[in-house]
Amino acid sequence: FKENRKDDIWLVDFYAPWCGHCKKLEPVWNEVGIEMRNMGSPVKVGKMDATSFSSIASEFGVRGYPTIKLLKGDLAYNYRGPRTKDDIIEFANRVAGPLIRPLPSQHMFEHVQKRHRVLFVYVGGESPLKEKYIEVASELIVYTYFFSASEDVLPEYVTLPELPAVMVFKDGTYFVYDEYEDGDLSSWINRERFQGYLHVDGFTLYELGDTGKLLAIAVIDDKNSSVEHTRLKSIIQEVSRDYRDHFHRDFQFGHMDGNDYINSLLMDDLTIPTIVVLNTSNQQYFLPDRHIESTEDMVQFINNILDGTAEAQGGDGLLQRIKRIIYDAKSTIVSVFKSSPLLGCFLFGLPLGVISIMCYGICTADTEGEVFEHEGAKKESGDRELTDEGSEEEQEEEKNGKYTELSDGELKQKDIMEKKKD
């Protein structure tokens, strides 16, 4: 594989035999291989045990499992989308094909526009802008398609202020890149590669973090057709459509089905339906201080966020990080006990029991040591007293000996003194 891989385009799944997510991907991966072979794709599909061939996995920068990469010459493109057959095949065909795809006719342009919800088009001849466009395409082709066309191929409703130009077609309209207003071309394409309104899931939320935009979403239950769920979703859609010129540089709009993912993200329990604005760059979020009844209320809420009057919650400070560690640990323990109580008792009960026994042993050993030390000190003290002063008999003998050594006159005088004392 190392010697011959550059002769072909490879789509490789780097996996670990013990990885649960890898086992879940395996049937999908088999379908990907079968369908790409049937359609005559030049892309070869394979998989590699990254634990057995760790040097090759390390060479391609594999950090976790499963990791899907498309290898094209000296380049390796990471796949970060949903792990479904259609999404993986779409990624492979897009990256394996030409970096910039030409649109030679209006018919071809209309066909491509129907197939893709978002497409970028370069219009004009050779220029520094085209060189920058090619450079950005080589980086962001993992996310979207890049095309080139002449001015006469574009639809009649398109008007360009000057050439060359870069355009994005989406949401039934088009927008032209302006270097002075939009800044760096790469940043602009990264922001504009999403539709104005999205159905947000975990993968989309992860990708939206690279845009630098705030995400305003209606958290609803898609299966619930009540008025409140439908109304909040409609309010977000109307704001994204009618106020695009006001908010598109700072906000992305969408809805999310269910609140489990949001709860884990915010470390809080949100009652649905509700509206929340996320700042994915620093993990801050905003909740409306009053019930959103209309589009005007939502616009006012967004303006409060932009002018700084809305209170931000969460963040990535030290306290929030500690809270995140505690929340993740608690969630892990609860999920383990819910899925397998016996396994939970074994994983958490056994270590706690061992630690308790060790602590008890340490505390008991210290107490007994103090008792023995106290008794030893008393004994040593007693021995010292006997050594210094001797027994009562020895003291009496010593006393008698002293009296013998004294003269008769001194004895008489001492007896008189003792009588006076008595």
Side-chain angles (χ1 to χ4, degrees):
F1 175 75
K2 287 183 68 176
E3 295 173 356
N4 302 319
R5 73 168 187 84
K6 291 185 180 180
D7 298 335
D8 299 291
I9 301 173
W10 281 90
L11 182 66
V12 182
D13 167 29
F14 293 90
Y15 72 96
W18 45 259
C19 171
H21 294 291
C22 300
K23 294 177 182 177
K24 187 177 180 181
L25 176 64
E26 186 173 0
V28 176
W29 195 252
N30 292 335
E31 293 179 4
V32 170
I34 293 171
E35 183 156 336
M36 295 200 71
R37 184 173 64 246
N38 292 339
M39 69 172 58
S41 172
V43 179
K44 292 187 175 182
V45 180
K47 61 181 181 179
M48 179 177 290
D49 183 350
T51 60
S52 298
F53 303 98
S54 57
S55 61
I56 297 179
S58 177
E59 178 184 342
F60 290 114
V62 175
R63 299 285 185 270
Y65 310 112
T67 294
I68 299 173
K69 288 179 177 284
L70 188 133
L71 310 178
K72 185 180 179 182
D74 294 324
L75 301 175
Y77 296 91
N78 288 330
Y79 176 70
R80 297 180 180 178
R83 291 167 186 158
T84 64
K85 181 190 72 173
D86 293 339
D87 287 302
I88 294 173
I89 291 175
E90 172 74 9
F91 162 80
N93 290 333
R94 180 173 65 249
V95 179
L99 194 61
I100 309 295
R101 301 168 189 251
L103 297 175
S105 64
Q106 287 187 349
H107 177 73
M108 179 61 72
F109 187 96
E110 293 172 0
H111 173 73
V112 169
Q113 195 172 15
K114 290 177 181 178
R115 285 193 58 194
H116 305 295
R117 296 175 180 175
V118 179
L119 66 147
F120 292 90
V121 181
Y122 172 83
V123 183
E126 298 298 324
S127 68
L129 180 60
K130 184 176 182 179
E131 295 177 2
K132 181 65 175 177
Y133 183 73
I134 295 173
E135 179 186 337
V136 174
S138 64
E139 175 189 355
L140 299 181
I141 194 170
V142 293
Y143 299 120
T144 188
Y145 286 88
F146 294 87
F147 298 90
S148 64
S150 59
E151 190 173 7
D152 57 349
V153 169
L154 301 178
E156 294 181 358
Y157 61 83
V158 175
T159 56
L160 294 176
E162 61 180 1
L163 291 177
V166 176
M167 313 166 62
V168 59
F169 290 83
K170 64 176 184 178
D171 301 329
T173 184
Y174 70 97
F175 306 96
V176 181
Y177 166 69
D178 187 326
E179 182 179 0
Y180 298 101
E181 291 187 6
D182 300 315
D184 180 64
L185 178 62
S186 178
S187 300
W188 179 76
I189 290 178
N190 202 31
R191 291 195 305 268
E192 297 294 336
R193 64 186 175 90
F194 297 99
Q195 291 178 279
Y197 182 88
L198 297 171
H199 180 192
V200 181
D201 55 17
F203 288 103
T204 309
L205 192 62
Y206 176 79
E207 290 187 17
L208 287 169
D210 297 333
T211 66
K213 291 185 178 182
L214 297 175
L215 176 60
I217 55 175
V219 185
I220 62 173
D221 182 358
D222 274 339
K223 297 178 182 178
N224 192 324
S225 57
S226 66
V227 175
E228 184 65 10
H229 288 255
T230 306
R231 187 179 61 82
L232 288 182
K233 181 179 177 180
S234 300
I235 288 175
I236 296 293
Q237 287 176 325
E238 290 175 11
V239 173
S240 68
R241 182 184 66 246
D242 299 339
Y243 292 85
R244 188 193 187 284
D245 293 339
H246 296 84
F247 300 136
H248 79 280
R249 282 189 172 87
D250 301 302
F251 281 85
Q252 176 67 49
F253 299 91
H255 79 274
M256 177 172 281
D257 181 21
N259 62 344
D260 291 340
Y261 193 87
I262 289 294
N263 288 344
S264 64
L265 190 67
L266 306 186
M267 295 180 288
D268 198 1
D269 292 327
L270 293 181
T271 303
I272 58 175
T274 188
I275 287 176
V276 61
V277 175
L278 302 173
N279 187 340
T280 54
S281 62
N282 60 8
Q283 298 181 6
Q284 286 185 342
Y285 63 94
F286 301 85
L287 296 174
D289 55 0
R290 63 178 185 273
H291 195 61
I292 301 296
E293 296 287 349
S294 63
T295 304
E296 288 73 19
D297 291 340
M298 187 65 201
V299 171
Q300 182 61 47
F301 177 44
I302 292 175
N303 286 327
N304 291 341
I305 295 173
L306 291 175
D307 62 25
T309 57
E311 181 183 0
Q313 303 182 48
D316 54 1
L318 179 60
L319 292 178
Q320 286 298 122
R321 293 178 185 177
I322 296 173
K323 184 179 177 182
R324 168 62 63 185
I325 293 172
I326 297 173
Y327 180 86
D328 290 342
K330 179 182 175 182
S331 301
T332 302
I333 294 172
V334 170
S335 63
V336 169
F337 273 98
K338 282 184 177 180
S339 60
S340 179
L342 292 177
L343 179 62
C345 292
F346 177 78
L347 290 177
F348 301 104
L350 183 61
L352 288 175
V354 172
I355 293 172
S356 301
I357 293 172
M358 291 175 62
C359 293
Y360 176 77
I362 293 171
C363 295
T364 305
D366 288 343
T367 304
E368 291 177 352
E370 289 176 1
V371 172
F372 289 142
E373 185 179 350
H374 181 64
E375 290 180 352
K378 286 176 65 178
K379 184 177 179 180
E380 185 180 350
S381 176
D383 292 342
R384 191 182 301 114
E385 289 177 359
L386 291 175
T387 302
D388 294 342
E389 298 180 5
S391 63
E392 292 180 2
E393 295 178 355
E394 291 173 344
Q395 291 180 20
E396 188 67 27
E397 289 177 1
E398 185 179 353
K399 183 178 180 182
N400 293 336
K402 287 182 180 181
Y403 277 117
T404 304
E405 292 175 0
L406 295 174
S407 62
D408 293 339
E410 289 175 343
L411 287 172
K412 288 181 181 180
Q413 186 176 359
K414 190 171 183 179
D415 288 341
I416 294 171
M417 293 295 294
E418 287 179 355
K419 288 179 180 179
K420 286 183 179 181
K421 286 181 181 180
D422 292 340

